[in-house]
Amino acid sequence: GAVVSQHPSRVICKSGTSVKIECRSLDFQATTMFWYRQFPKQSLMLMATSNEGSKATYEQGVEKDKFLINHASLTLSTLTVTSAHPEDSSFYICSARDGRENNEQFFGPGTRLTVL
Amino acid sequence: GQNIDQPTEMTATEGAIVQINCTYQTSGFNGLFWYQQHAGEAPTFLSYNVLDGLEEKGRFSSFLSRSKGYSYLLLKELQMKDSASYLCAVSDSNYQLIWGAGTKLIIKP
């Protein structure tokens, strides 16, 4: 099956710093990538939808200037959490869609962000 | 609005069968997915239904009734490793996934 990698898997940073998370589709071209956030014991919350070569579409309540998304190629999307604060601590998961008929999303392994 | 409902938690016994229900109301329908998520890990794909009926895949089966806005995931011969959250998600008219809150399944020996 399709493989999506995510890096780093875990990051601890100080409040006020910026953190970049990479999401790569390893064996397929992903025209669309999604960024989710998941707080403990809660379901996935879609943050934004990223299409290659265009600006990301952010969900209501997600600050686009705080969560910068770049989808520069068909295999790479990045999420930068700028000026991170403790309330940004969460599990960030990316997924990629390869445009197949069932529109299945393939998930990366996730990034655990802890802001001190 | 769009809504996906599934039970918060279920408990079952090792070796038994369990059915996890999901009802949905969405703007458009382009298929329903079931994902399994172990604690601290990303979701993994289990099944996809776009037509009415039952899809069987090993110990797991998924059923869909579009007219009723209803699906279920059936797990047979339960194993301890099946303890996880099971997420129901519907692809809407824009092919965006609308997620349920997930059902935490607890398997007891």
Side-chain angles (χ1 to χ4, degrees):
Chain A
V3 179
V4 176
S5 70
Q6 208 171 320
H7 178 80
S9 59
R10 186 180 295 269
V11 60
I12 300 173
C13 69
K14 293 182 178 180
S15 184
T17 60
S18 294
V19 175
K20 179 186 281 189
I21 304 170
E22 292 187 350
C23 178
R24 294 181 185 271
S25 56
L26 299 185
D27 51 2
F28 67 98
Q29 292 185 329
T31 54
T32 305
M33 288 185 169
F34 303 86
W35 286 97
Y36 293 89
R37 180 167 52 182
Q38 187 175 35
F39 293 105
K41 299 183 180 180
Q42 295 186 22
S43 188
L44 299 171
M45 292 173 51
L46 179 65
M47 298 176 67
T49 301
S50 169
N51 291 296
E52 186 266 336
S54 62
K55 290 183 179 180
T57 302
Y58 290 81
E59 295 300 300
Q60 192 172 8
V62 179
E63 300 174 57
K64 63 179 181 181
D65 294 330
K66 180 172 180 64
F67 299 99
L68 302 178
I69 292 173
N70 184 287
H71 192 162
S73 75
L74 286 172
T75 60
L76 173 65
S77 177
T78 62
L79 167 68
T80 301
V81 183
T82 62
S83 186
H85 291 284
E87 58 264 31
D88 298 324
S89 298
S90 187
F91 191 44
Y92 291 86
I93 310 172
C94 74
S95 70
R97 194 165 67 198
D98 69 353
R100 292 189 307 174
E101 187 173 332
N102 70 359
N103 290 292
E104 180 184 346
Q105 291 184 23
F106 299 95
F107 286 87
T111 298
R112 175 74 59 191
L113 171 64
T114 303
V115 184
L116 302 177
Chain B
Q2 308 204 91
N3 194 50
I4 309 284
D5 285 317
Q6 51 182 129
T8 303
E9 187 174 297
M10 298 182 70
T11 303
T13 305
E14 189 177 15
I17 299 173
V18 71
Q19 177 174 311
I20 303 174
N21 296 324
C22 171
T23 58
Y24 63 89
Q25 291 179 308
T26 58
S27 56
F29 180 82
N30 281 300
L32 184 145
F33 296 84
W34 283 96
Y35 284 85
Q36 180 192 60
Q37 186 178 25
H38 286 98
E41 298 180 11
T44 55
F45 171 80
L46 289 178
S47 68
Y48 171 74
N49 295 68
V50 67
L51 299 176
D52 290 349
L54 186 68
E55 295 279 344
E56 297 185 76
K57 189 185 294 185
R59 293 190 299 114
F60 293 3
S61 302
S62 57
F63 171 83
L64 174 68
S65 169
R66 289 172 296 171
S67 62
K68 296 181 179 179
Y70 167 70
S71 173
Y72 67 73
L73 179 69
L74 190 71
L75 293 77
K76 302 177 184 177
E77 301 170 19
L78 286 170
Q79 302 174 10
M80 297 304 293
K81 67 178 182 178
D82 296 330
S83 291
S85 287
Y86 291 85
L87 305 173
C88 173
V90 173
S91 179
D92 69 7
S93 56
N94 295 317
Y95 295 97
Q96 181 166 306
L97 284 183
I98 310 301
W99 293 88
T103 298
K104 182 179 180 180
L105 178 62
I106 300 169
I107 310 296
K108 294 184 175 180

